[in-house]
Amino acid sequence: MDVTSSSPQIDAQSPPTSWLSDDEFHVLEAICETFFPALDPPANCDQAQATYYRASASDLHLAPLIAETLGREDEEIRADVRRLLALLLSPTTGLLLAGTARPFSALPFKQREKYLLAMAHSPLVQLRQGYQLFKRLTGFLFYATPDSHGHNPSWEALDYQPADPPSPSAARPLQPLTIEQDSTLECDAVVIGSGAGGGVVADELARTGKNVIVLEKGGYQSEADFTLQEAQAMNDLYLKRGLLSSKDLGVAILAGSTLGGGTIVNWNTSFRTPPDILAEWEQLSGLPDVFTGSALQKSFVAVEQRIQINTANSAHNRQNQLLFEGARALGYHADSLRRNAVGCEQRCGTCGFGCRYGCKQSTLKTYLQDAYEHGARIIVHCSARRVLIEQGRAAGVEATVYDPETHTTRQLTIQARTVVVAAGAIHSPAILLRSELTNPHIGQHLHLHPTTTISGRYPEKVYPWQGVMQSAYSDEFGHLHGNYGYKLEVAPTHPGLLGMGSPWHSACEYRENMSYSAYRSTIIVLTRDKGEGKVTLDRHGELVIDYVTSVFDRRHILHGLRQAARVHMAAGANEVISLQSKRSQLTRQQLEQQGKRAWHHFDRQLERNGLGVNRLIMYSAHQMGTCRMGKDPTQSVTDAHSQVHGVQGLFVCDGSVFPAASGVNPMLSIMGLAHQAAQYIKSTV
């Protein structure tokens, strides 16, 4: 989300609210003040708690921040927002939702609360979508945005300690190429994307003496730049500043957009693709030996050695320990997972904001550094528009380079007979579609590992934002139906993410529940999805993500929520809460008084309150399948060597080549397949 490390500085000549009318902005202010009014603090509270309760949306300039954030979206999204605000300006909508024929901003506070809850629970998907848009933005910004002194009025009350500023003397070992004018460059191979796939291929080609150029859409951030502040990290390190989602907002999508890609912001989890999944991929693709042969296993070994995968740095923080203990108490599988990190020592908990200590063995520290030392040129803030194709062969890339200091954009053409698209399963198909390739499977078969959370509140402080972020997991339910099921893992939850996801039933109750953030532990249900979505282009050539969690996958999510709740209770939680808009909650007192009846009621409550679009917040940090590999060009996009069917010299090397979902955190799967493909690509350049 586009917020800075201090309160927003409003430019009087071009205010961020200028795309909204005065009436529209007034409604936006009223929405923010309804979610976050100034409240009377509880009796006998300390000064930090009093400050927390008295803080309001206006104190943090939430309405201008949201207007600025949404103002950077494309024209169609801004038009949708204005249509939504027009509904809230209508007295008729007020009559339908709050029982009073008045615009939203003219209603008294309690009726505005009622109005927002009616939107949240509405049978109309557009109203639920509008509620989620504003609830998520206000929740994130209220708890994540620092003031002009670098602090947030809620942090002290939540017992949240922000990181110190980074050291300006920290090393910046790479020097990206500067593009100061419209330019044409030549090379042997151009790699679009610098993450798990692109970084590996760039190094493999560069170390054989090939002239390589790497294009990265994001900027260059290193230990000298990582502020480790949630709001700043979303702006600097994530696609669309953390706002990326399916078109109906049903799934919030986290994807890296910085030099090093997702390997900069992921949580270090390093699973090899399971053998049963590889066998399934072989059957689906019709490609013998690509997934089950010895070559891929050798590539896994090579990658694991370079990024130093180990379990020595998988010591559990309190949150991971609770998952481990709760699962074992129920007789479920529980184990430690492997991570590509060294020397973590439980000292931060901010892997998703970049690793200031250099512990995370991202492609920035490994493969990209190696490629750079072997002569590869790297260009950041570079958006690849399309691949140039001549007579059935790749001929280069057409791109633009943005200068954030001068706010100028330069045209860049790369001439190369080998093009490797590694922009991720969201952007890679978009690039191929803009390149006028007509294969109907480009952008289809999108898998997201739809994920949701159930929260446990414990009697002692857990600090879910401290220590190793992800080190324990349970695979007890990984095979509910064949190869389909889910994993239980934990997710680090800093105040902004907690504020975004926690259910809101009233301003006062929400503020009180959030005051217990340090006592909460989160267990995620990571689903291997059988259902599919797609990535397409709108009339402006911008990508659109169309994905609705299938009925089959929702059954697994429901099963996972029920089991995660039991793990929490077995680990000692006092209550569990789902992320559903309608209240789904179970307390230990209810269990002690009612026993199995309490579990039965809670299980029914989870199902009755719904898992449909915008009734339950769903997340995705894993995107796969949109340029899938296969033998048959009529059923797939890329061949056994990750080369696009029908186009010589054009390769795709990222999660989009998966024939189906991996079922595990996909970083190592991507790197292994990219390493294997690179051995062939080297012979063709």
Side-chain angles (χ1 to χ4, degrees):
M1 299 178 182
D2 190 19
V3 292
T4 62
S5 58
S6 61
S7 296
Q9 300 298 312
I10 307 302
D11 183 349
Q13 294 182 341
S14 180
T17 62
S18 60
W19 64 283
L20 296 174
S21 70
D22 289 343
D23 286 343
E24 290 166 342
F25 183 70
H26 187 46
V27 172
L28 180 58
E29 287 182 311
I31 292 170
C32 295
E33 287 296 324
T34 307
F35 281 123
F36 289 101
L39 298 169
D40 291 331
N44 302 318
C45 69
D46 60 25
Q47 183 59 46
Q49 291 173 313
T51 299
Y52 168 65
Y53 278 95
R54 288 173 179 147
S56 70
S58 60
D59 293 332
L60 286 167
H61 309 282
L62 291 197
L65 273 173
I66 291 173
E68 181 180 9
T69 299
L70 295 175
R72 295 195 179 192
E73 296 298 304
D74 62 43
E75 182 179 334
E76 292 185 15
I77 292 177
R78 293 199 304 271
D80 287 341
V81 172
R82 297 191 69 179
R83 282 190 285 269
L84 175 63
L85 292 173
L87 277 177
L88 273 71
L89 281 165
S90 168
T92 303
T93 312
L95 180 63
L96 292 173
L97 296 181
T100 303
R102 298 168 69 184
F104 178 82
S105 54
L107 294 171
F109 175 74
K110 285 298 180 183
Q111 284 190 302
R112 281 188 274 131
E113 284 190 316
K114 178 181 176 181
Y115 192 118
L116 289 178
L117 289 173
M119 290 179 65
H121 306 150
S122 173
L124 297 178
V125 69
Q126 293 88 347
L127 288 177
R128 298 201 307 273
Q129 180 177 336
Y131 168 85
Q132 289 294 340
L133 173 68
F134 292 124
K135 189 268 175 186
R136 295 179 196 179
L137 281 170
T138 56
F140 180 86
L141 292 170
F142 185 84
Y143 287 99
T145 306
D147 61 19
S148 58
H149 302 291
H151 295 280
N152 179 289
S154 68
W155 288 347
E156 186 176 356
L158 269 55
D159 199 10
Y160 179 76
Q161 298 294 325
D164 293 329
S167 170
S169 62
R172 292 177 60 87
L174 302 180
Q175 182 61 53
L177 186 65
T178 300
I179 304 297
E180 297 180 337
Q181 58 188 4
D182 294 350
S183 304
T184 298
L185 302 176
E186 296 182 1
C187 63
D188 296 322
V190 55
V191 180
I192 303 171
S194 63
V200 171
V201 175
D203 175 42
E204 287 293 308
L205 297 182
R207 68 173 54 248
T208 61
K210 308 301 182 185
N211 185 343
V212 176
I213 294 178
V214 179
L215 309 181
E216 168 54 49
K217 182 179 177 68
Y220 174 30
Q221 311 286 330
S222 71
E223 288 89 340
D225 310 291
F226 297 135
T227 67
L228 307 187
Q229 290 201 357
E230 198 172 8
Q232 189 72 42
M234 286 294 176
N235 180 63
D236 291 345
L237 305 178
Y238 287 83
L239 273 177
K240 292 193 74 173
R241 305 169 301 281
L243 285 176
L244 187 66
S245 69
S246 56
K247 69 177 184 179
D248 60 8
L249 298 188
V251 184
I253 299 172
L254 297 174
S257 184
T258 184
L259 191 62
T263 70
I264 293 293
V265 297
N266 70 17
W267 303 342
N268 301 106
T269 301
S270 302
F271 287 107
R272 279 197 195 185
T273 324
D276 55 351
I277 302 297
L278 291 174
E280 179 189 317
W281 285 2
E282 181 177 276
Q283 182 180 14
L284 287 171
S285 67
L287 297 173
D289 297 328
V290 172
F291 303 110
T292 60
S294 61
L296 181 57
Q297 296 304 312
K298 291 178 180 177
S299 286
F300 279 143
V301 170
V303 170
E304 289 168 352
Q305 290 176 347
R306 183 63 190 94
I307 64 174
Q308 301 186 60
I309 291 175
N310 66 89
T311 56
N313 285 266
S314 296
H316 304 321
N317 68 355
R318 183 59 183 149
Q319 187 170 228
N320 281 278
Q321 189 65 34
L322 289 169
L323 168 60
F324 189 91
E325 292 174 353
R328 286 287 178 93
L330 295 171
Y332 295 167
H333 166 271
D335 205 348
S336 297
L337 50 82
R338 302 188 306 161
R339 305 172 66 247
N340 63 312
V342 293
C344 283
E345 301 172 5
Q346 302 284 3
R347 57 185 152 184
C348 50
T350 51
C351 297
F353 312 150
C355 180
R356 185 185 292 174
Y357 302 102
C359 301
K360 179 185 293 187
Q361 300 302 294
S362 65
T363 58
L364 183 62
K365 289 191 67 67
T366 57
Y367 285 102
L368 285 174
Q369 184 68 42
D370 296 345
Y372 180 75
E373 291 174 0
H374 284 90
R377 290 172 285 176
I378 297 171
I379 304 173
V380 297
H381 296 298
C382 182
S383 297
R385 184 69 182 170
R386 66 189 183 99
V387 178
L388 302 175
I389 300 171
E390 298 175 359
Q391 298 179 340
R393 181 174 184 92
V397 174
E398 183 181 277
T400 58
V401 181
Y402 175 72
D403 187 332
E405 293 186 2
T406 63
H407 302 290
T408 55
T409 300
R410 304 299 185 189
Q411 301 298 315
L412 177 64
T413 300
I414 308 288
Q415 296 178 348
R417 287 173 61 81
T418 298
V419 176
V420 179
V421 182
I426 301 299
H427 272 288
S428 285
I431 292 169
L432 297 188
L433 289 170
R434 287 195 293 265
S435 304
E436 300 181 357
L437 296 179
T438 58
N439 185 317
H441 290 277
I442 296 173
Q444 303 297 308
H445 318 295
L446 173 66
H447 296 278
L448 292 180
H449 281 170
T451 301
T452 192
T453 294
I454 197 151
S455 169
R457 179 175 157 188
Y458 286 79
E460 71 286 346
K461 288 186 177 181
V462 176
Y463 296 112
W465 48 74
Q466 290 182 0
V468 169
M469 298 171 69
Q470 200 169 70
S471 60
Y473 76 105
S474 174
D475 206 17
E476 180 71 21
F477 304 101
H479 296 82
L480 286 178
H481 295 92
N483 286 345
Y484 288 91
Y486 60 86
K487 279 181 169 51
L488 296 179
E489 300 175 346
V490 304
T493 44
H494 293 258
L497 187 60
L498 279 168
M500 172 186 171
S502 295
W504 188 92
H505 306 297
S506 73
C508 186
E509 181 181 345
Y510 174 81
R511 195 83 63 96
E512 181 183 0
N513 285 338
M514 282 294 296
S515 72
Y516 292 101
S517 295
Y519 294 84
R520 295 204 175 275
S521 174
T522 56
I523 296 178
I524 63 173
V525 181
L526 179 70
T527 311
R528 183 180 186 232
D529 47 336
K530 194 171 188 179
E532 299 180 347
K534 60 184 178 181
V535 174
T536 57
L537 299 179
D538 64 16
R539 58 193 178 93
H540 304 292
E542 298 303 320
L543 64 86
V544 177
I545 302 168
D546 190 351
Y547 184 97
V548 176
T549 307
S550 71
V551 173
F552 177 89
D553 297 322
R554 287 182 200 174
R555 286 198 292 267
H556 288 178
I557 290 167
L558 178 61
H559 189 284
L561 289 172
R562 290 168 172 169
Q563 294 303 322
R566 285 159 171 79
V567 170
H568 273 308
M569 285 300 187
N574 286 334
E575 70 173 359
V576 292
I577 303 172
S578 82
L579 300 189
Q580 290 164 296
S581 295
K582 292 186 177 180
R583 192 188 309 275
S584 297
Q585 185 175 359
L586 175 67
T587 67
R588 183 164 296 279
Q589 183 179 21
Q590 290 171 321
L591 278 178
E592 291 172 348
Q593 293 175 349
Q594 303 173 30
K596 291 183 179 179
R597 287 177 52 212
W599 277 121
H600 178 72
H601 176 74
F602 180 69
D603 289 345
R604 290 287 303 276
Q605 192 178 55
L606 287 170
E607 184 173 12
R608 186 172 60 250
N609 288 346
L611 307 178
V613 176
N614 289 318
R615 295 189 185 279
L616 168 70
I617 295 183
M618 301 291 295
Y619 298 93
S620 169
H622 307 155
Q623 301 89 46
M624 304 154 283
T626 48
C627 300
R628 68 181 185 183
M629 294 174 69
K631 180 179 179 180
D632 187 350
T634 67
Q635 297 297 319
S636 59
V637 178
T638 52
D639 66 15
H641 304 296
S642 294
Q643 187 167 226
V644 173
H645 291 301
V647 185
Q648 288 288 315
L650 176 58
F651 300 85
V652 180
C653 292
D654 55 32
S656 61
V657 301
F658 293 4
S662 62
V664 297
N665 306 58
M667 179 188 70
L668 187 53
S669 300
I670 295 170
M671 299 180 87
L673 286 169
H675 186 275
Q676 178 177 251
Q679 309 318 306
Y680 174 80
I681 298 172
K682 285 188 287 190
S683 69
T684 67
V685 178

